[in-house]
Amino acid sequence: MDFELTDEQKMLSETVTRFVAETYDFSKREHALRSADGWSREAWAALAEMGLLGLPFAEEDGGFGGSGVEMMLIMEALGRGLMVEPYFATVVLAGGVLRHGASAAQRAAIVPGVIAGERILALAHDEAGQARHTLAARTTARPAGDGWIIDGAKIAVIHGQSAGTLIVSATTGEGLGLFLVDARADGVSIEATRGYDGVPVASVRLAGVAVGADALIGEAGTGAAILDRSFDEARAALVAEAVGAMAETFDITVDYLKTRQQFGVAIGSFQALQHRAVDMLMQLELSRSMAVLAALSLDGDADQRRRNIAAAKAQIGKSGRMVGQEAVQMHGAIGITAEYKVGHAFKRLTAIDALLGDRDHHLARLVELGGVYPAE
Amino acid sequence: MNLEFTPEEIAFRDEVRAFFREALPDDLRRKMINREHLEKDDTVRWQRILNARGWAVTHWPVAYGGQAWTPAQRYIFQEEMALAHAPEGSPFNVNMIGPVLCRFGTDEQKRRFLAATANLDIWWCQGFSEPGAGSDLASLKTSAVRDGDHYVLNGQKIWTTQAQHADWMFGLFRTDGSGKKQQGITFLLLDMKTPGITVRPIETIDGGHDANEVFFDDVRVPVANVVGEEGKGWDVAKHLLGSERSGIARIGLSKERLSQLRSLERRLAAEGVLTPAEHERLAFKLAEVEVELRALELTQLRVVSADAHGGGANAAASILKVKGTEMQQRMTELVLELAGPAGLATAGHDWVSAAAPFYFTMRKVSIFGGSNEIQKNIIAKTMLGL
C-alpha cells in the first residue's frame, strides 16, 4: 500500500500541468471555442508532440503502455484547464474500445494516426429512448455479403463532427457488436452541436451504411463486454478530470475570498464563508482519494473494479455539484458570467456527472452489486 | 502507487487478527457487538491483556513501551482491533497523558506514572473544560495559587469524562491571569483523593453517566506535579490535542458497523419488517454511506502513506476528524432507523435496545476534543490561509 508517485510520474504530472497553465489559459480556451472546429488543432498537435496521445496504448501499437495512474495525472491536468479537445473522446473512450477489443490489424490501421494527432475517433453508442448507460442498442447491424449493413440513430456522440472514424454499437443476431465506420461513408449523416460544457457533441444517423467484415471489433456479441471494460476506464478518467476541475475551481475561489473586499474587509474573513470553503476542500480531497482508487482498480479483479469505479463516479457526482455550486455562490454575480472561468468549470463538472452514469445511476449499480464492500 | 499490503504487512495483520481472536474475552466481545456499556473493570481487564502482549501503548516511544511500527502497521492494528470488536483502552491514559509525560515529564514523573498508566493501574481523567471555557479553552479560570511547595486550587471543571472512576487527573489551571490568556496556564497532575475535590455526576441524553463536574476547594497539589514549566501548560495541551492522525477517523470502527448494518438490512428485509419500498430506500442510503466511507478510507490510507514518506501537514489529514466523526454519527442514525419502533425500549441487551442510546451519545464525537466547527476554523486558517 503506497500512494507515492514515481519520479517519472511526478515529472509527467508537472509537465502536463505546466503545459496547460502556460499554453491553455482561459482566453485561449475561449478562442478555441469560437473556432470552426470548436477546439484547438494547435493544442492537439502539442499534446501529440508531447506523446500524450499515445500514453495508454500498448508499446507494440506505438504507444507508451501507460497505466491508470498516468491517465489520472493527465486527466487531472486537462481538467484544470477545462480542455475541450478530443482527448477523452478519442484517446480514452474510443481508444479504450480499441485497446480492449480490436484486433492487431485494426489497431495497426488506426492507432498510429491517433497517436500522431491526425485521426480523431468518436464512440457512437447512446440512443434516444434507450435505458441510460445500457450495454445494448436499437441500432442494428445485419450481415450482408462479407460485411454488414448498419441502420440506426445515435445521440451524445462526443466530438462526433470531428471524427474521421466512428465506433458504432449495433445489435447483431448474436448480441451487441462494435463497428468501425468511416464518418464520410454513404448513409452517415452527422448533426453537429455544442454541449453546455463547450465540448462538441453530435447526433449521428446511419441509413443503410455498408461496412466490411474487417469493421467488426471483436466478435458479434462481444460488444457489451468490451464496452463494460472501456466504460470503467473512461469513468476513472472522468473522475480524475473532475478532480482537476474541482481543484482549479477551489483554488480560484479561495483566492477570490482573500482578495474580494466588502464591508471594508476580505470576505474570506467571514466565518460563514470559511467553513464553506473547508467543506469544499473536504469534497475535493474525498474525490482525489476516489480518483486514486479508480485508477488503481482498472487492472484488478473485475467485480472489485466495478464496485470501486461506481463508488468513485458516485462520489464525484456529489462533490462536483457541491464544489461547483458553492464556487459560484461564493463569487456572487461574477460567478454566473460567461467571461469568468468558475462558471465554465461548474458546467464541465455538471456534464461529467451526466456522462457514463450519474450519481444515482452508480448508487443503483452499487445496490445491485451488493455494495461497495464485498460481503465476507 | 499500489493498494496492496506487502507480504510482511499481511503477515503482521494475520498475527494481530489471531491475537485478537484468542485474547479478547467472549463476554467483552458480546458486550461490544450489542453496544452494551462497558464497566470500568471491563476496560481495565482488556487493557492489561493488551499490555501483557506489549500492545497497550503502541504509539508511545519504544523506550516507554511503544512499538517501532510503520504507519501501515499502526493502521492495520487499529483496523483489526475494530473488526475484532475489541474495545480501545482508556484514551486518557493511552492517547493523552502517556504521550505527554513521555515528551514533557520529569524522570521522576516518568518513573512514577508511565508503567502504571500503560497497565491502567492508574485511571486518568482530563480536567480541561470549564463552564466558561469550552471551545475557547484558553479562557479557563480555575486557579492554582503558589503556596510554598504546593499550589492551592480553586474553581470548577466540567464534562470530565469518567472522573467518577479516576485515580488521578491531568488538567490545566491558571497560575497567572495578568498576560495573554494562553499564558499563565499550567499543566498539573493531581491525586483525585486529595481533600477538597468533589465529583458530581452529569446525566446525559443517552441515559448514561460518563460526564461529571469536578469542584476544587483549596485543593493542595505539590509543585513537583507540574508537567513542563509553570505558565507553559498551553504548549503541553496543544501537543496533546494535536494527537496522532492515524486512526482519528475511526475507519475500522465504521467499517465494522457498516457490515453489521448490512446484515441487519438483509435480515429485516427477509423477515418482511421492511416493505420493498422502504428496503429500496434504505439500500440506497447504505450505498451512499458506503461510498463516502470508501472515500474516507482511501483518504486515511493516503495519510498513512504520506506519513511513511515523512509526513508533514497535508490537506487530506486535516479532514479526517471532521469527516470521520460525521461518518460515525451517520452509522448510528441508520442503526436507529433500522431499529424502528422496537428501538423505543432501551432495557434489553441487543442492538435494538442499544440503538437509541448509541445514537444520542455519539453526538458528542463532533463536539469533544475541539468541535468540528473549531476544526474548520483551524483548517481555514492553516490550510487555506483565510
Side-chain angles (χ1 to χ4, degrees), chain A residues 174-369:
Chain A
E174 293 154 67
L176 193 74
L178 297 167
F179 297 88
L180 292 162
V181 176
D182 186 329
R184 289 172 303 277
D186 286 344
V188 176
S189 57
I190 296 178
E191 189 187 335
T193 178
R194 186 70 63 81
Y196 57 71
D197 56 348
V199 176
V201 64
S203 299
V204 177
R205 297 196 73 82
L206 303 118
V209 179
V211 296
D214 59 354
L216 178 62
I217 294 172
E219 292 162 33
T222 61
I226 296 168
L227 285 184
D228 178 48
R229 177 72 177 81
S230 306
F231 281 172
D232 271 355
E233 192 171 289
R235 288 176 182 122
L238 285 175
V239 168
E241 185 190 344
V243 167
M246 276 187 249
E248 180 76 359
T249 307
F250 178 70
D251 289 349
I252 294 171
T253 303
V254 171
D255 201 45
Y256 188 76
L257 292 177
K258 288 177 186 171
T259 50
R260 170 69 174 168
Q261 301 266 326
Q262 287 288 274
F263 306 104
V265 291
I267 61 173
S269 64
F270 302 138
Q271 196 179 42
L273 299 187
Q274 289 178 355
H275 284 196
R276 287 164 68 172
V278 171
D279 290 338
M280 287 171 76
L281 173 72
M282 294 190 188
Q283 291 303 316
L284 171 59
E285 288 303 322
L286 293 175
S287 298
R288 203 180 277 289
S289 298
M290 287 310 233
V292 171
L293 178 68
L296 293 176
S297 300
L298 289 173
D299 296 325
D301 170 68
D303 174 63
Q304 193 59 57
R305 182 196 82 217
R306 290 190 190 100
R307 293 170 195 261
N308 287 344
I309 299 277
K313 190 69 172 55
Q315 177 68 47
I316 60 110
K318 172 182 172 176
S319 299
R321 179 175 291 185
M322 185 273 190
V323 168
Q325 290 181 351
E326 286 291 86
V328 168
Q329 178 68 21
M330 287 201 246
H331 275 86
I334 190 75
I336 53 172
T337 60
E339 66 180 31
Y340 197 67
K341 190 172 185 179
V342 159
H344 295 270
F346 175 39
K347 291 204 282 185
R348 181 58 187 159
L349 286 167
T350 305
I352 287 174
D353 183 35
L355 288 169
L356 297 179
D358 65 7
R359 173 171 170 82
D360 278 356
H361 173 84
H362 286 289
L363 288 173
R365 199 158 170 245
L366 283 169
V367 170
E368 278 167 32
L369 291 168

